[in-house]
Amino acid sequence: MARTARGLQQALGCVHCASTPARHGFIPLSRPFTTSLTHQKHGSLATFAPTSSPELDALLDTFRSKVFLPAHLLRPQRALVYRPRNAALLRSDEPVTVDLGSAQGVPLEPLDRLRDEPPTRKTFARMLALMRDLPEAWDNLPAFLEELRIAKRRLTAAQREKTVRCAAEAGRMDVVLECVKRAARTGLVIQDLPLAREVFWGAYAAALRASWSDEAVLRKSLGQAEALSTLLEEDAHCGSRPPSSRSDPRARPEISGVLLALSGALYAKAPDAALKNRVATHARRLRATWPNADFSAAADAGPGWSVANQRLLVWTPVLRGVRGALSVLDEMSEAGKEETEEVRKWLREAALPSLEEVVEADTRAAAEGVSGEGKRRGLVWAEDLQTL
């Protein structure tokens, strides 16, 4: 027999809720003779699209039902879920459901925080491993990160960086860009330099995987990198502070270098006047951020291969950008664009020698770390320069 609204609320130990719901902060039942609750504290509960991995689908469902759903409930509703004395009620033949925006009729189940809730970081690491070879699975990432934030679950900085790197390797920089656009809700804020580097490197890596020969990929990667550069100026990222810190992504030559590399590569495939001017703009920006370049570590005796690999990630895109920009600026100079001569001269006489020296030294050092697992990204990127 269906429970009445008052009967369910009495079972919760709140006999007055049926008559004075607002006083107790309890949302009344949506229909007087059902066990459906209506509540939109954080909007709709996310629904995740099925993937081709049963294990991944199970992990997403576990997070949704045992972590994300309780975060959407009011305190009396969470008490219904977490108090052991209510377990029999929730397991009865007549289920208790809740409507959360577009998620209708979501069943409530008894939960034990220690036994039922999955460990965030360990489980998410497993999810990333499963998603590596499933490009379609990344469609769920923005909603997952939003729900994770609502539930006050935190990923480590290293996990956020790995998430971006894995998404890029799966060819889903579009998802990363969407998460950055929705940073206030996803938490993917790129004001910290290590994460900002990974995001811009993702756009660079897509062009590299296409051997710098696919115009469509180059155009898409440059568009994403320039969109990210614009997003850096928003308050959710770096816009609320002046770019005075050496660690501010807007003030870093490795970020400017990615933009220069992509614009120069696209110009080589599809030259036009507007793109030529964009190359010149990114070259001037690189020069403006150059005082924050630090090559001192490259001169240390015997740098470790891991450190060398990291420096190659930083400087090989910049070197590619400088080489590509020089040919473009040489054209502009020959065409009588005197205003570019100073930048062209700086690229050739200052930036290029410094970059070639550090990349050559670190390529040798990084090669010492090659093992059966294969080459690290930095060394792969450095060797790719030989094709330029």
Side-chain angles (χ1 to χ4, degrees), residues 171 173-174 203 214-225 266:
M173 273 302 295
D174 59 315
D214 189 319
E215 180 184 339
V217 172
L218 289 170
R219 197 171 296 279
K220 183 177 181 179
S221 294
L222 176 59
Q224 290 172 338
L266 180 57

Side-chain angles (χ1 to χ4, degrees), residues 176-242:
V176 173
L177 181 58
E178 182 63 24
C179 290
V180 174
K181 288 179 179 178
R182 293 153 57 176
R185 288 177 287 167
T186 63
L188 200 65
V189 177
I190 54 173
Q191 63 180 212
D192 293 330
L193 182 58
L195 182 58
R197 281 173 169 172
E198 286 292 351
V199 171
F200 280 85
W201 287 345
Y204 178 86
L208 186 148
R209 286 194 298 272
S211 301
W212 305 97
S213 61
D214 189 319
E215 180 184 339
V217 172
L218 289 170
R219 197 171 296 279
K220 183 177 181 179
S221 294
L222 176 59
Q224 290 172 338
E226 290 183 335
L228 289 164
S229 181
T230 300
L231 287 168
L232 282 173
E233 299 296 339
E234 294 188 356
D235 287 349
H237 300 287
C238 302
S240 60
R241 65 188 188 191

